[in-house]
Amino acid sequence: MGLARRIIPCLDVDNGRVVKGVQFLDIIDAGDPVNVARGYNIAGADEITFLDITASSDNRDTILATVEQVAAEVFIPLTVGGGVRAVEDVRRLLNAGADKVGINTAAVTNPDLVDESSAKVGAQCIVVAIDAKSVHQEGEPPRWEIFTHGGRKPTGLDAIEWAVNMADRGAGELLLTSMDKDGTKSGFNLGLTRAISDAVEIPVIASGGVGNLQHLADGVIKGGADAVLAASIFHFGEYTIGEAKQFMADQGIEVRLT
Amino acid sequence: MQRIAVVDYGMGNLRSVSKALEAVAPDHDVVVTSSASVISAADKIVCPGQGAAADCMQALAAAELVDTIKSAVGQQPFFGICMGMQVLFDSSEENSGVQCMGLVAGQVKRFAHPHLDSEGARLKVPHMGWSKVGQTAHAMWHNISNDSRFYFAHSYYCVPENTDKVAGTCHYGHEFAVAVFDKNLFACQFHPEKSSDDGLQLLANFVAWDGK
């Protein structure tokens, strides 16, 4: 179809430092976001996502400095999420050099933020992050609900209806995380990914659960994801981005080989 | 020292474009500006842009830059990027129809709902990610392989009337123009400032280009 499926490494950033480090390549300071982003660019990542987990509101602006530094030196798309609550937050991140801004909890508490941000900066800059969890009982048809606060707080919102709602309001892309799968290394929730991807016209990034390269390929082939996001399998050097792309290419998936 | 003006009309991420230019042209003076006189006096002009067509045209008009750009196109080497390409056309379908600058004959259209490939499978819109760009001979492609991938993020695409002025095409559902040229003007739909090495090479080629 002419468009490569993307592989996106995701980095947690706390107070301007990459948390837990990244153990691959010959990075001297594995906590430095610029070094890590540069390393992933050389490795062939199609995009980089930073998730700002800075807890203290006093230090919220550290992410802006981080984004400025990375965007001045690494020339691939950069998505930044975490703590985005107002259109002003979106604008400040974009002005610092982010290409896309992820909106998560605030999309649930204030859905108009998605409309307002999208109208202001364009849908292509707005990524709505959706955290969904299975809520169906044994024997029932599958159903997923939106959760916030790291999967602890149910919202009563049906995940598919919510995804359609977010797309209608002006999201340019959805970052879909299965809270059942996140951290399990047992693969994406393919049923959820497929259901959401089929329900919306906008691209869907699958996230949560990647433990090996087959999981990435399955996310595209079975889940219908337009992009796949992973953290630990890349950060700890289990696989390189190049190996992941070659594996996907061998299964007939169009990727950008560098 | 040559000066490259990055046109600032309040739409979009100019920092990435200016930083990428600085990276490939350390011996040039890269200036982000909304000043008509600075733009007119610059050796080269880059016009980026992001957001909706109506907002971009309004912002250009409000900054009184439409005439500046119109007279620059035809003089200095000029590089339009993304929305900076679309506003060069006659009109856009976006926002129920927007009159644009009319420097390149043609229209800007939206991908169909649903946007289908030749086998009837639905394609996602926005067209977001890395697609191959087929080249026609032009100095701006120096040292870039034909069919190299560049990063796209758009829902509207340009349809130039004059196919002789197409410098690059992409296939996403159907083939469409993603780069056009006319004398000292070059414009592309994708983001060279976000397209890693090949994107930086394209920007370097613009820095080296005499507009002929």
Side-chain angles (χ1 to χ4, degrees), chain B residues 111-185:
Chain B
F111 290 120
H113 290 289
H115 184 43
L116 304 174
D117 70 11
S118 54
E119 283 152 20
R122 191 188 57 162
L123 299 174
K124 295 304 182 80
V125 177
H127 170 216
M128 177 102 63
W130 300 75
S131 282
K132 288 180 181 174
V133 174
Q135 306 168 0
T136 55
H138 194 282
M140 286 285 283
W141 298 122
H142 177 68
N143 272 345
I144 300 171
S145 306
N146 190 32
D147 285 339
S148 292
R149 289 185 188 272
F150 291 87
Y151 180 75
F152 290 84
H154 66 120
S155 300
Y156 291 79
Y157 64 99
C158 297
V159 185
E161 273 172 29
N162 190 349
T163 51
D164 293 349
K165 300 295 183 192
V166 174
T169 59
C170 164
H171 199 283
Y172 187 62
H174 54 81
E175 192 168 277
F176 52 96
V178 296
V180 293
F181 69 100
D182 189 11
K183 300 189 219 47
N184 58 308
L185 173 151

Side-chain angles (χ1 to χ4, degrees), chain A residues 91-111:
Chain A
R91 284 183 56 85
R92 292 201 307 164
L93 285 165
L94 293 176
N95 287 340
D99 298 284
K100 300 184 252 189
V101 172
I103 303 176
N104 192 345
T105 306
V108 175
T109 54
N110 174 23

